[in-house]
Amino acid sequence: MSMIALLVVLLLVLVGLLVIGALGYAAYRRPVLTQPLMVALTGAAVLVAVVTADAP
């Protein structure tokens, strides 16, 4: 892997952690959002599983 590809992967991981943290904070501050956030995160997890399963 080239250096630029590693930096892009690192950036994607950091942005993903930031988004997950923001969603967790939103669910903590507003408990009404817990159910919609769980549905969205489950959908995202399934999408990631499908994409990584298809990767060579």
Side-chain angles (χ1 to χ4, degrees):
M1 253 187 179
S2 69
M3 186 64 140
I4 211 92
L6 289 174
L7 288 174
V8 168
V9 169
L10 177 64
L11 182 64
L12 287 173
V13 168
L14 290 175
V15 168
L17 288 174
L18 182 66
V19 168
I20 290 171
L23 289 175
Y25 180 74
Y28 175 75
R29 295 293 290 169
R30 304 211 184 264
V32 173
L33 295 176
T34 303
Q35 187 65 31
L37 284 176
M38 288 306 296
V39 170
L41 287 175
T42 303
V46 168
L47 180 63
V48 166
V50 167
V51 168
T52 45
D54 288 339

